[in-house]
Amino acid sequence: AQSVSQHNHHVILSEAASLELGCNYSYGGTVNLFWYVQYPGQHLQLLLKYFSGDPLVKGIKGFEAEFIKSKFSFNLRKPSVQWSDTAEYFCAVATSGTYKYIFGTGTRLKVLA
Amino acid sequence: NAGVTQTPKFQVLKTGQSMTLQCAQDMNHNSMYWYRQDPGMGLRLIYYSASEGTTDKGEVPNGYNVSRLNKREFSLRLESAAPSQTSVYFCASSEWNEETQYFGPGTRLLVL
């Protein structure tokens, strides 16, 4: 069965630290990849997405992610986090040609001021 | 442009009661979704509607029914609520399936 794994469930960082959140998926076909963010008390919103082309994609607020097809991974990165990045981050995979849109279990990030 | 709206924001039910969660979008999207979010389990798809006039089961459909009333509206019904349905429910829409989803603010449901 198709699945999405986010290995870090809780991450605590100090401001200005670098961030990398892992996301791996299991599906051999064509995929669309997403990272969503949910700030405290708010609904999910898109951070960035990859459909095709350059595997390094840039999103809002200085976030970026790299699609590595051979590793079935789509890790999220940010060079220097801010207190306002405290949120829950969800990786999602949509498998092309089906109606499967699967979310990972999420990573709670807490940034200490 | 309100995006995706959901009503109610919060609801308390007793076991066995029924209720309908409403969702509407004003972005002329074709696809709509209902998810539930539980701690440590991420978002799980309950039902989706790929286009007006169609609905299909997602990962956790048991105990729920849906209606795609028109292109704008997609409702979720709990016929006989159970404590296991205590959760936060999110509606989402996208232009087509596999595209970026836009989420509503959620409905927090407590079943006693």
Side-chain angles (χ1 to χ4, degrees), chain A residues 46-62:
Chain A
L46 182 71
L47 203 54
L48 50 78
K49 63 184 179 184
Y50 172 81
F51 284 9
S52 63
D54 188 344
L56 183 63
V57 293
K58 295 190 185 299
I60 60 172
K61 302 186 180 185

Side-chain angles (χ1 to χ4, degrees), chain A residues 7 20 23-27 66-75:
Chain A
H7 310 296
E20 180 159 4
C23 173
N24 288 88
Y25 64 93
S26 63
Y27 182 71
E66 185 175 13
F67 171 49
I68 303 179
K69 191 174 181 180
S70 61
K71 294 185 177 181
F72 298 90
S73 70
F74 189 55
N75 292 352

